[in-house]
Amino acid sequence: MTTIGLADIDWIEVAKLVLLSRELDLLEVNRLTPEGKVKYQFSAGGHELIQVLLSKALTHPHDGATVYYRSRPFMLASGLTPEEALAANMAKTNSPSEGLDAGVMFNLPRRHGPTVLPTSGDVGAQYTPAVGWAQAIRYREHVLGESEWTGAMAAACGGDGSVAANGFWSALNIATTLKLPLLFFIEDNRYGLSVPASLQTPGGEISANLKAFCNLKVLTGDGTNPAQAWSLIQEAVSHVRSGAGPCLLHFKIVRLTGHTFIDDQAYKSAEMIAEEQARDPVRRLQNFLQEQGFDESAWEQWREEAQARLAAALETVEHTPEPEISRVRRFIYYEGVAPLQGGLCAEGIQPIPGSSQAQSSGPRVNMVDAIRRTLESELHRNNRLLVFGEDVGKKGGVHGATLDLQRRFGEERVFDTSLSEEGIVGRSVGLALAGLFPVAEIQFRKYADPAHEQIDDLGTIRWRTVNKFAAPVVVRIPVGFGKVTGDPWHSVNGEAIFAHLIGWRIAFPSNAADAAGLLRSALRGDDPTLFLEHRALLDTVEGRRPYPGDDYCLPFGKAAQLLEGDELLVITWGAMVPRCLEAAQSFAGRISLLDLRTILPWDKELVIENVHRTGKVLIVHEDTRTVGFGSEIAATIAEEAFEHLDAPIQRLAPPDVPTPYNPNLMAHVIPSVERIRTAMQALLEY
């Protein structure tokens, strides 16, 4: 380790930012939190120096960073104003989330530092989005030929507690395997709340444990020593920018206060607390600058300037109005206003207009072939589209939906991933925020469970950043029982769980034409979409239809009226559609049958219209009965059309058990044509 390059930074500016952060913490701890004006107070005391220095090293206009709840010094150095910082913690307008998110959940389109991607409140969830940004840098440089991205990098900041999280290891694996330009910036204050570092990683030394990790440069040092910290940051950033691969920079620092305002650190000894106070990086920076010729009066002047700046900021924020109530419902979905960062429309790229007219002639194709043809046509038209997941490359996907696409479009556009669904979806976030359009495949619905944290976070990005950021992605997931068998692991539907997640659109087509139209609409949209493909329909006769053409787009929220009758309304979707059609043949002219086609949004208007005409309702679905999506439909009908009902609303769904492997047991669990027919008969006779 050397100390060259100390003149490459404005140490006076560093000192002013460090003092601004420290004084802001003190203002909140000593006054605003006891007064109840700040609800959550996460002090950055002890973290300020290295965070400010890192921000000052991220000078490329396309650098990106992911941060966490203790990253406010980094934010202040990257352009967040004191007014915005106070407004955030005081839940006021003119803050990064306009009072919607906790005050330490940051986001910042680029000002004079890096683009700061929206923060997650989940520990460790920041790492794989940073991987996505790093991969987007390479893609935009090498595939799109955008030389202005050359030399850019991503940085993922986290505490020592986060190195135990799934997201950290997933990101580490992806970044080192692909040699991505990513810096893992670990701020080790020795504690995750009250849990010591020794319980987060063996021996409490993540850098020591990773010394032998391939394609990873590992650096470690004292983050309270200004000269050493700046030298190590320069070395790490230089390595990452050179294209040599990722770097893990592990700084030993101190946390001078509790995890939050209410944490009294009773788990630390008096000796440990005294030792941490002695290593206060603010004091060490003051001593360092005095060694450089700055006297104590200059330091006190900078402190007084920070206090005056904060006093003025507080006066402004306290007179700022409360957030408008009407805004709480805004920006769940794209509203026609482009975000500042993320997706294609943020960069002025308008979607290609589609056609609402499907080609109805031509040979019938399997649903999986329609999906593949739609992906292929959109890959041709949109050079920012990427398709990836486990086995989607040379193999062409375990269900064949990406067959031959890698050969046609290359390994940088259609590629295999490591076996980490957290990494697949988390990477999608960063890719989308960097202006690309990711299409991720999860092989089976059950396998999406490890990615649930990322899926949940992704859906609320537009809302919690007030449309500053958006991450339009499509996640394709085969669901349901197979054409010959099922089992508890590969046959899950679970659409009701997804339907509870905010900000997602959910498609659930029952045939090839609808699959092509809905997928194309999703690929030309600006919202995250879960595209559920039923396994029993992918290559069976029930799902076959003529391919509707390369321009066909089917709008979300429009159900298909398959049958019109006056006595009974049957509502269904997915693999239950052909079964309901077959069962309804016994009651010609008496049954209205709706295929929802999309779960979010669902066609409430057409459902209510049919209820008015028929007076009786049967809802059939494959997901388990308790809190299945049929419950939502039934509740809505009861609320909005109760007086039109001539019979109790009926649901036909599997009991609350997993799908069995034995075919006979599976047939007993999943609604059959005969059971559907019996339920129809009973309601017709009611």
Side-chain angles (χ1 to χ4, degrees), residues 152-302:
M153 61 175 285
C157 304
D160 53 287
S162 68
V163 304
N166 294 340
F168 172 79
W169 291 100
S170 178
L172 187 68
N173 190 49
I174 298 168
T176 52
T177 301
L178 301 181
K179 298 183 70 173
L180 295 175
L182 176 61
L183 172 63
F184 293 89
F185 193 79
I186 307 302
E187 306 168 31
D188 185 357
N189 61 34
R190 312 306 292 164
Y191 278 90
L193 210 161
S194 67
V195 180
S198 60
L199 295 179
Q200 310 292 350
T201 189
E205 298 288 343
I206 189 64
S207 53
N209 294 333
L210 292 174
K211 285 290 187 182
F213 221 82
C214 289
N215 300 328
L216 180 69
K217 184 178 182 67
V218 178
L219 299 172
T220 187
D222 184 356
T224 69
N225 181 318
Q228 185 181 133
W230 178 237
S231 182
L232 284 170
I233 288 172
Q234 285 183 299
E235 184 179 355
V237 168
S238 177
H239 172 85
V240 174
R241 292 201 195 282
S242 72
C247 176
L248 184 138
L249 178 51
H250 176 200
F251 275 127
K252 305 288 185 64
I253 57 171
V254 293
R255 192 188 74 199
L256 298 175
T257 63
H259 174 71
T260 64
F261 178 76
I262 60 173
D263 175 18
D264 63 3
Q265 301 197 93
Y267 44 85
K268 292 182 180 179
S269 67
E271 292 77 16
M272 176 176 290
I273 291 175
E275 189 249 338
E276 289 177 339
Q277 293 292 335
R279 294 183 59 222
D280 183 347
V282 174
R283 293 183 187 176
R284 289 193 166 190
L285 177 61
Q286 180 182 8
N287 294 336
F288 169 77
L289 291 178
Q290 288 176 351
E291 292 170 1
Q292 308 303 311
F294 294 96
D295 59 29
E296 188 172 345
S297 62
W299 182 265
E300 289 306 314
Q301 178 185 341
W302 300 335

Side-chain angles (χ1 to χ4, degrees), residues 50 55 75 96 127 384 433 444 474 490 597 599 601 613 684:
I50 56 171
S55 176
M75 298 301 301
Y127 292 107
R384 296 192 182 209
L433 292 173
F444 299 93
V474 171
H490 301 86
R597 301 199 286 203
I599 303 298
R613 186 173 70 253
L684 287 168

Side-chain angles (χ1 to χ4, degrees), residues 132-143:
W133 187 278
Q135 187 168 355
I137 292 169
R138 177 179 294 172
Y139 186 91
R140 297 194 68 154
E141 178 186 3
H142 296 294
V143 179

